[in-house]
Amino acid sequence: MFKAVNEKTDEELVLLALKDQDYFLLLVRRYEEKLTRYISRISNLDKDEIEDVLQDIFIKVYKNLNAFDTSLKFSSWIYRISHNEVISNYRKFKNKAKVISFDTDGEFIKNIADELDIEKEFNLEDLKKNISLILNKMDLRYREVLILRFMEGNNYNEISDILKKPEGTVATLLNRAKKQFSQIIEDQNIKI
Amino acid sequence: MKNLSQKIIEKIKQEGVEPTPKWEFVLKNSFFWGAFVLAVIIGGLTFSIILHTLLNNDWDLYMQLSGGLTKFIIVTLPYFWLVFLGLFTIIAYINVKNTKKAYKYNLQMIIGGVILISFLLGITFYNLGVAASLDRNLIQKLPPRYHSMVDANINLWQRPEEGFLSGSVESLDEYVLKLKDQNGDIWEIILSEDILEIVPDFILEDSSKIKIRGKIIDDNCLDKCFYADMVRPFDNPRDMLKKGVIEKDILEKMNLHMQKARPMMQGRILRDLVL
């Protein structure tokens, strides 16, 4: 029985959670790690602060379950709420000096290197070493769109749903993000 | 972190958090769509008035009224209605932007769409005669001090010394048409025997707004007198301006009026004017 519930899609769980609060627990479990990682990547909040923000996010999600549009993916919708919550807390963390540490996997490095066409010219291991430095120097909006695309693995349509921007604007943001990424490599004289 | 999910569920239960009812979201979304539709309809009505104003402008008299086409266009553009259209385009944009899927479209697409719908509605309203009736009612019901704000022609046609006069028909007896101008002055209007164009509907009705081209007559006049060689309804329906489109029964009434007025007018005209 429990296994069967676990196999249900997010969208099915939303419908069940509307009838019985306990089903919401499954959704929280599915997303708490993913969202913790996402928030830590786009903000410099510490562990406790992230936990507070996450609580607010999940309570907001629960309150607004009836507003969930089934034509969207639930993951896009919950990431959107998380994005909005982080942005509304932006003042809290924008002046904090803490540097975000990006526990990047090889996949991200490979993806971004492919996109920037730097794989042949540079050593990917060196890029991996410097990735935190580069991403920390990026504007939040550019950093976030790179994270959504290459770390969270969202496509343009999903990013459009998360950021509530037209797909064309998402493409422009990604292009600018890539340019800024390359510019920082150049400006910082990072040898990769 | 392990207990976060449990903490959240407990908090939800302790605080009695409940999902907001679906009808509240439906109502909110419907409100934005309703406000959008209303704003677009008002935008359409506004565009129909702009169309009506432009098409019924006194293009044939631009040289006499303003001394040149550019100046005439600058002076007579319906700025008030253009600002009004802009305002309702923005209101429509704000409302549609708050609907669920609007973020999929960029600013230019939404604004372009809103303007296109307003234009199409405006053309429809204009063809249905809504604009003419709206414009006529506005001019007749608005207090005079607001007239020049909604219609730039008011000032152009309130220059009797230069041969342009406008106002509302105060009275019309067998012999004399009396006109109350924009400043509240009463004029006695004498129609030329060779009047160039007469548009029928208005002149036999009290309170109708008209505009007159002619000249001031100073002599032998108890009130202010104005000799008219052209009379038009103020809101100037384009179709009526075509010469020879005067309805038969109105024309007959007009001729009857002219015949009765002629003995008195002829005396004045012969005395005062060399045409």
Side-chain angles (χ1 to χ4, degrees):
Chain A
M1 174 69 183
F2 183 71
K3 196 176 177 184
V5 169
N6 251 355
E7 283 167 4
K8 287 193 181 294
T9 63
D10 294 342
E11 292 72 22
E12 287 167 336
L13 284 179
V14 169
L15 294 175
L16 290 169
L18 280 167
K19 291 171 192 156
D20 183 346
Q21 268 179 350
D22 291 332
Y23 285 100
F24 190 63
L25 182 65
L26 293 168
L27 283 170
V28 177
R29 280 184 182 152
R30 272 186 196 180
Y31 281 94
E32 63 173 302
E33 260 189 60
K34 286 180 191 171
L35 293 181
T36 302
R37 205 170 48 232
Y38 172 60
I39 294 166
S40 71
R41 282 166 173 171
I42 60 168
S43 71
N44 50 2
L45 298 175
D46 61 34
K47 198 182 159 192
D48 290 340
E49 289 167 332
I50 289 175
E51 199 167 304
D52 289 343
V53 172
L54 262 183
Q55 278 200 34
D56 293 342
I57 289 169
F58 281 113
I59 287 173
K60 206 165 265 183
V61 168
Y62 184 67
K63 272 186 184 168
N64 290 286
L65 275 182
N66 271 316
F68 170 58
D69 178 356
T70 47
S71 67
L72 287 182
K73 282 175 76 175
F74 179 79
S75 62
S76 300
W77 186 63
I78 200 168
Y79 270 78
R80 178 196 292 176
I81 291 173
S82 308
H83 159 84
N84 291 341
E85 198 62 25
V86 170
I87 295 301
S88 69
N89 281 287
Y90 182 68
R91 280 187 188 167
K92 278 186 199 169
F93 68 82
K94 75 170 182 180
N95 292 324
K96 286 174 70 173
K98 188 192 159 204
V99 173
I100 310 167
S101 173
F102 292 89
D103 51 339
T104 49
D105 52 16
E107 194 64 21
F108 171 76
I109 299 297
K110 193 175 178 314
N111 286 341
I112 192 110
D114 280 350
E115 282 289 327
L116 296 171
D117 204 20
I118 56 178
E119 193 176 7
K120 289 170 192 166
E121 298 172 42
F122 301 104
N123 182 336
L124 295 188
E125 278 307 309
D126 287 339
L127 178 59
K128 193 173 177 180
K129 275 182 211 161
N130 287 293
I131 196 72
S132 291
L133 173 68
I134 299 167
L135 289 176
N136 271 296
K137 285 208 171 289
M138 291 187 77
D139 295 341
L140 174 62
R141 59 188 172 149
Y142 295 144
R143 185 168 75 217
E144 185 177 21
V145 79
L146 279 188
I147 288 166
L148 286 169
R149 180 80 182 103
F150 300 114
M151 290 188 178
E152 305 295 333
N154 293 292
N155 60 31
Y156 281 39
N157 184 39
E158 288 162 348
I159 298 173
S160 155
D161 290 335
I162 293 166
L163 301 180
K164 288 188 89 174
K165 290 185 189 303
E167 281 188 45
T169 307
V170 170
T172 307
L173 273 175
L174 266 170
N175 269 331
R176 289 182 184 161
K178 285 186 263 182
K179 273 184 193 158
Q180 193 176 58
F181 190 92
S182 301
Q183 190 65 44
I184 291 167
I185 293 176
E186 203 179 307
D187 291 347
Q188 298 296 310
N189 205 16
I190 296 169
K191 294 193 190 310
I192 51 175
Chain B
M1 208 51 150
K2 278 181 186 173
N3 297 324
L4 179 65
S5 38
Q6 206 55 49
K7 271 189 206 169
I8 290 166
I9 293 299
E10 276 167 21
K11 194 172 176 183
I12 285 172
K13 285 184 176 168
Q14 275 170 9
E15 293 182 6
V17 179
E18 288 290 336
T20 308
K22 197 173 184 74
W23 66 262
E24 280 191 29
F25 297 108
V26 172
L27 191 69
K28 191 178 161 195
N29 207 39
S30 308
F31 168 81
F32 287 122
W33 275 115
F36 164 76
V37 169
L38 193 66
V40 166
I41 289 173
I42 295 174
L45 287 170
T46 307
F47 182 69
S48 74
I49 294 179
I50 292 171
L51 203 60
H52 172 76
T53 307
L54 291 177
L55 292 175
N56 289 298
N57 217 347
D58 300 295
W59 297 108
D60 53 333
L61 299 177
Y62 74 84
M63 194 51 96
Q64 294 165 55
L65 281 164
S66 300
L69 185 59
T70 311
K71 193 178 172 195
F72 181 70
I73 291 170
I74 291 169
V75 169
T76 58
L77 265 182
Y79 296 103
F80 175 82
W81 294 115
L82 287 169
V83 169
F84 207 69
L85 178 64
L87 181 73
F88 276 89
T89 302
I90 292 168
I91 292 173
Y93 168 75
I94 291 169
N95 282 296
V96 82
K97 196 74 188 152
N98 276 299
T99 58
K100 273 184 176 178
K101 295 279 184 180
Y103 66 87
K104 290 277 182 194
Y105 307 96
N106 61 31
L107 174 82
Q108 295 92 318
M109 276 178 85
I110 296 178
I111 294 279
V114 167
I115 290 175
L116 184 69
I117 298 170
S118 296
F119 281 13
L120 293 175
L121 277 176
I123 292 167
T124 310
F125 288 142
Y126 176 79
N127 286 324
L128 290 173
V130 177
S133 137
L134 206 60
D135 193 42
R136 192 163 42 241
N137 279 317
L138 268 174
I139 288 292
Q140 286 178 0
K141 283 174 184 166
L142 267 182
R145 65 178 179 278
Y146 297 117
H147 285 183
S148 60
M149 194 171 76
V150 295
D151 193 341
N153 274 314
I154 300 278
N155 293 332
L156 276 183
W157 285 91
Q158 186 53 46
R159 298 178 296 161
E161 294 79 11
E162 293 168 53
F164 302 103
L165 182 65
S166 64
S168 53
V169 175
E170 187 72 4
S171 68
L172 180 71
D173 60 26
E174 287 180 356
Y175 298 101
V176 181
L177 165 68
K178 288 207 169 184
L179 182 93
K180 190 178 186 180
D181 73 10
Q182 313 289 346
N183 300 325
D185 294 331
I186 303 294
W187 293 79
E188 190 175 311
I189 307 298
I190 296 156
L191 300 170
S192 162
E193 212 173 334
D194 302 317
I195 198 149
L196 293 175
E197 58 184 52
I198 300 169
V199 190
D201 269 335
F202 63 89
I203 206 160
L204 302 173
E205 290 172 11
D206 286 352
S207 304
S208 291
K209 296 271 292 182
I210 56 172
K211 48 192 176 190
I212 301 165
R213 189 184 71 181
K215 77 187 271 188
I216 296 174
I217 308 168
D218 293 325
D219 299 334
N220 301 314
C221 229
L222 293 174
D223 290 319
K224 291 180 169 189
C225 287
F226 199 84
Y227 175 78
D229 65 9
M230 189 165 79
V231 182
R232 288 177 175 180
F234 199 85
D235 59 348
N236 214 9
R238 192 167 49 136
D239 295 341
M240 288 188 185
L241 274 179
K242 291 174 189 163
K243 288 174 193 170
V245 194
I246 300 170
E247 289 169 32
K248 208 173 174 183
D249 58 329
I250 302 287
L251 185 64
E252 280 167 9
K253 284 181 191 172
M254 203 61 233
N255 286 338
L256 186 68
H257 172 72
M258 292 293 285
Q259 280 165 16
K260 284 177 181 172
R262 194 158 291 148
M264 188 176 148
M265 286 196 288
Q266 276 178 338
R268 282 180 183 162
I269 293 163
L270 288 171
R271 262 200 319 277
D272 302 329
L273 297 165
V274 180
L275 293 173

